[in-house]
Amino acid sequence: MENLKIGFLGCGNMASAMISGLVNSQALPAKNILVFDRKPKTNSDLHDKFGVTAMSSAEQLAQTADYLIAAVKPNVLPDMLKKLSAHLRQETVIVSVAAGVTLATLASALPQQQKIVRVMPNTPCLVGEGMSSITPNDQVTEEETETVVTLFSRFGKAEVVSESLIHAVVGVSGSAPAYIYILIEAMADAAVLGGMPRAKAYQFAAQAVKGSAEMVLESGKHPGELKDNVCSPGGTTIEAVAVLEETGFRSSIMQAMQACIAKSDALSKK
């Protein structure tokens, strides 16, 4: 992978986080990361900060990159790809991180047989703890798919997912940080009610969520088993769990995610 040229079309917060993850992991030389943003200062700032190669135009980027990560807004992406089509090589892999833009829509804006990968990342990529779904079209080889998985694993975790599951990915991962932030805020509010200073309350609540998530990922145990291990007979934790069950905590989460999934499906059909 160190000989590949990875291009970024659009260099906002998400793309900058990806670039930082690639550079810090030393997955490939910084000079092999090519960037182009419509704001010249963004290009020069990224070059100065990371040592990446700033390209003079989107067309030059399209001609040079082996993997072109399109990180522009979904509403402008198809038209931009159409404009760049004449400058792309057939072997170039187009990687879209635009929410709601299907493989079919991307293909309609690109030359026939173009290799396309649709990726759904989430905002924790900004702190190196993202979760990204990887969905290739039929033109992409297994090796190329694995390369994209490796790239996105540099700032979190990545898994190959069929496009039929994209809306579920949005519900369980793409939009999920918002649910967790509400949980952390509510936990902190309760701690403040119990007398804890707010800054410390946020720290305790956030670390509890982070540590619990790591327990699920690292132990391989079912979340229910981990929950049971915390609930002593007649103790404080089972008292809290009983209230959560009584007030419909599980069903609220599931209903919220179902609404999110339905909205994602509806938006993709517009």
Side-chain angles (χ1 to χ4, degrees), residues 142-153:
E142 287 188 16
E143 182 180 359
E144 289 164 340
T145 299
E146 189 56 38
T147 296
V148 176
V149 170
T150 299
L151 286 172
F152 280 81
S153 296

Side-chain angles (χ1 to χ4, degrees), residues 173-189:
S173 177
S175 297
Y179 328 149
I180 305 304
Y181 299 145
I182 292 172
L183 172 62
I184 290 171
E185 185 180 28
M187 290 170 63
D189 281 348

Side-chain angles (χ1 to χ4, degrees), residues 233-248:
T236 58
T237 307
I238 194 63
E239 192 77 19
V241 168
V243 173
L244 290 175
E245 296 291 359
E246 182 181 351
T247 55

